[in-house]
């Protein structure tokens, strides 16, 4: 498994978020991004997870709720990648993939667009 400090991995996640166009980040609403060590044991190789209500499904009822949560998993990402360059790429893809879920874009469409 590739070695990387938690701080370095968190910086990659931050850099990936910074590369999202401002016109998109300005409309992101009530969402928090976290780096976690490992996903649920039922899916040990999961690289990222979006939990919440996508913007496309929110209505007048959406008020006073906890923020949506995007988790980026360090362990599976480092196991999946052989080089630091691969980690940089995989983190960027995973962040975009999970942010896209916040915008209501489903896995099938993300795979078609190359963000699977």
């Amino acid at each position: 498994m590739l070695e990387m400090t938690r701080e370095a991995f968190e910086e990659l996640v931050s850099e990936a978020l910074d590369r999202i166009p401002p016109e998109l980040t300005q409309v992101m609403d009530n969402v928090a991004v976290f780096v976690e060590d490992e996903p649920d044991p039922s899916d040990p190789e999961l690289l990222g997870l979006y939990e919440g209500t996508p913007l496309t499904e929110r209505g007048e009822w959406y008020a006073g709720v906890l923020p949506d949560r995007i988790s980026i998993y360090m362990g599976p990402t480092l196991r999946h990648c052989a080089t630091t360059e691969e980690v940089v790429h995989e983190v960027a893809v995973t962040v975009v993939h999970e942010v896209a879920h916040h915008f209501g874009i489903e896995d099938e469409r993300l795979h078609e667009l190359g963000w699977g």
Side-chain angles (χ1 to χ4, degrees), residues 3-112:
E3 295 289 324
M4 180 176 284
T5 66
R6 170 89 176 210
E7 183 178 79
F9 191 86
E10 288 175 352
E11 182 63 26
L12 293 179
V13 172
S14 179
E15 290 170 3
L17 287 166
D18 288 345
R19 285 193 293 266
I20 295 172
E23 53 273 10
L24 293 179
T25 57
Q26 289 172 356
V27 295
M28 289 175 66
D29 181 48
N30 201 30
V31 62
V33 179
F34 298 92
V35 170
E36 303 287 348
D37 291 330
E38 296 290 337
D40 187 280
S42 66
D43 197 357
E45 295 309 308
L46 187 66
L47 303 181
L49 180 65
Y50 169 76
E51 299 171 284
T53 304
L55 294 174
T56 55
E57 295 178 17
R58 296 179 185 180
E60 291 179 21
W61 59 270
Y62 188 85
V65 299
L66 292 174
D68 292 3
R69 180 181 181 96
I70 292 174
S71 298
I72 308 299
Y73 299 111
M74 185 172 160
T77 303
L78 296 180
R79 288 191 295 275
H80 179 76
C81 299
T83 66
T84 301
E85 292 77 20
E86 286 181 23
V87 174
V88 170
H89 174 77
E90 196 59 56
V91 166
V93 168
T94 303
V95 166
V96 167
H97 183 103
E98 302 310 330
V99 167
H101 286 319
H102 176 67
F103 285 98
I105 302 171
E106 300 292 332
D107 280 332
E108 182 178 294
R109 182 66 179 137
L110 287 168
H111 285 278
E112 289 172 2

